[in-house]
Every structure is written in structure tokens, then in C-alpha cells.
């Protein structure tokens, strides 16, 4: 077996071992596969610390339990519920997403990356994260924690900037094809 393959096997074992002991079971969006609930969490988690999102997420889901309830809600009510999270344009985008999902996709978050990316305020990371977390699809995601993990393991002494494209190659080669959702949780916790 080549050293490159061995390194990837050791990497996956280290991540899974860490996750078995230290996984964040307290995060409510990890306890659901409801695509709408995961959409809410992904939008809230953009540029906001996890500990600030937990309570806000629970309150938001209580106020707007479905994509249809969010789509029907007046924007002012959505912004009031969003209060304290900052970056109100995210709340506006989430509201517009809900309206588009209801009007164009009959209330169901689409599964294909291009369709998800067509929703207001959704970029490449969020679209692929939604595919992985809501549908357990083996899509390629990279965010700060994941980037940190791969830099640490595969580029430990590199002083140059490593592009996301380089890192995505390693993400693709190590991705758990059967359970990408849990693998990404493990990577994020490890990071």
C-alpha cells in the first residue's frame, strides 16, 4: 500500500476516533434531516458562532416550523425573530428562499446543486452542505473548520497559500460515500 493511501487511512481513523469521543450531540440541526430546518441552520451559521445560533435556531423553528409558514410570514416578523444574529440580509434571503421553494418547488428543497444555488443568497458551500446534511448526498463541501483539518493533516509545513481547489481534491478522496452527513459532522468537530 502506498504512503499516500496509508496517510488517508490514518487521517480518516483519526477523525472518526475523535468524533466517537467528542461529537457535538447537542446541536439541534444534527438531530433532523428536515431540509427546511437544515436550510435555516446553514443560513444562521454563516458568520455566526455556533453557541449563538443554538437558541436562535430553536426559537426560529418554533416561530416558523415549516418552509410554508416562513414563506407566508411578513418580512418584519422574520426580521424580529432574527434579531441578535446580525447580518439581516441573511434573514431576507432565507425568507425569499422559502417563498421560492414554495412557489417553484412545491415546498420541497431541491436536491440538485444548480437548483439549490439558484435560490436567493445560496452559494456553492451552502448548496453542497444542504445536499450532504439534508439528503446525505456525497457532495463536496469546504468551510473554515474543514479547511483547517485538511491543512493540518495534508499540508502541515506548507507556508504558501493552499487553494480550496487543492483541498477539495483531498475532501473528494476521503469523503465517506455512504454517510457523508456524519463524515462532515466529524470533520467539523475535529476542526
Amino acid at each position: 500500500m502506498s504512503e499516500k493511501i496509508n496517510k488517508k487511512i490514518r487521517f480518516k481513523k483519526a477523525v472518526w476516533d475523535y468524533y466517537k469521543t467528542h461529537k457535538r450531540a447537542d446541536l439541534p440541526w444534527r438531530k433532523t434531516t428536515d431540509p427546511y430546518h437544515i436550510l435555516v441552520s446553514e443560513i444562521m451559521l454563516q458568520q455566526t458562532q455556533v453557541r449563538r445560533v443554538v437558541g436562535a435556531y430553536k426559537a426560529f423553528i418554533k416561530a416558523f416550523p415549516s418552509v410554508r409558514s416562513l414563506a407566508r410570514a411578513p418580512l418584519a416578523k422574520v426580521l424580529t425573530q432574527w434579531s441578535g444574529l446580525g447580518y439581516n440580509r441573511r434573514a431576507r434571503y432565507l425568507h425569499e428562499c422559502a417563498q421560492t421553494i414554495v412557489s417553484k418547488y412545491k415546498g420541497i428543497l431541491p436536491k440538485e446543486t444548480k437548483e439549490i444555488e439558484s435560490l436567493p443568497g445560496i452559494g456553492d458551500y451552502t448548496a453542497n452542505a444542504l445536499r450532504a446534511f439534508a439528503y446525505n448526498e456525497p457532495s463536496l463541501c469546504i468551510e473554515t473548520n474543514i479547511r483547517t483539518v485538511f491543512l493540518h493533516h495534508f499540508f502541515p509545513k506548507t507556508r504558501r497559500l493552499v487553494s480550496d481547489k487543492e483541498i477539495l481534491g483531498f475532501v473528494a478522496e476521503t469523503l465517506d460515500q455512504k454517510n457523508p452527513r456524519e463524515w462532515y459532522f466529524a470533520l467539523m468537530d475535529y476542526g
Side-chain angles (χ1 to χ4, degrees):
M1 200 178 302
S2 76
E3 178 56 31
K4 186 176 180 181
I5 292 171
N6 270 336
K7 189 170 188 167
K8 288 177 187 165
I9 291 169
R10 287 192 308 272
F11 166 73
K12 289 179 87 164
K13 183 179 179 342
V15 172
W16 281 124
D17 286 350
Y18 181 88
Y19 184 65
K20 285 175 191 167
T21 307
H22 302 287
K23 74 177 168 181
R24 298 284 311 269
D26 60 328
L27 304 177
W29 47 87
R30 289 191 180 180
K31 297 174 184 174
T32 182
T33 57
D34 183 311
Y36 164 67
H37 291 189
I38 293 168
L39 171 65
V40 170
S41 73
E42 284 299 319
I43 301 298
M44 285 186 168
L45 288 163
Q46 294 171 358
Q47 302 173 322
T48 306
Q49 295 172 331
V50 170
R51 71 176 188 273
R52 286 186 51 215
V53 171
V54 173
Y57 168 86
K58 289 177 181 177
F60 197 90
I61 293 299
K62 186 175 182 182
F64 310 109
S66 70
V67 69
R68 291 184 189 284
S69 64
L70 178 58
R72 285 190 305 264
L75 179 59
K77 184 176 179 183
V78 174
L79 292 172
T80 299
Q81 193 62 48
W82 191 268
S83 182
L85 288 173
Y87 303 101
N88 284 349
R89 76 176 179 279
R90 292 181 299 156
R92 284 188 189 93
Y93 284 143
L94 182 56
H95 189 238
E96 291 172 18
C97 275
Q99 292 172 329
T100 303
I101 291 166
V102 168
S103 66
K104 189 173 180 179
Y105 299 104
K106 299 178 182 166
I108 300 169
L109 180 75
K111 286 187 178 183
E112 298 305 316
T113 303
K114 293 295 179 199
E115 290 177 324
I116 300 171
E117 285 178 341
S118 75
L119 297 170
I122 303 293
D124 182 62
Y125 167 77
T126 303
N128 284 299
L130 288 168
R131 290 187 70 229
F133 299 135
Y135 299 119
N136 205 32
E137 291 287 330
S139 56
L140 299 180
C141 306
I142 186 167
E143 52 79 70
T144 303
N145 294 309
I146 292 171
R147 182 176 175 65
T148 299
V149 169
F150 281 91
L151 286 173
H152 174 75
H153 276 274
F154 296 104
F155 302 91
K157 296 180 181 175
T158 302
R159 297 199 184 273
R160 66 177 176 84
L161 289 176
V162 178
S163 71
D164 283 355
K165 185 177 180 180
E166 287 177 272
I167 293 171
L168 279 171
F170 287 93
V171 173
E173 292 172 9
T174 59
L175 182 62
D176 185 317
Q177 297 292 315
K178 292 180 183 170
N179 195 356
R181 173 185 162 95
E182 197 81 12
W183 174 244
Y184 281 121
F185 292 160
L187 281 173
M188 289 176 178
D189 289 359
Y190 190 72

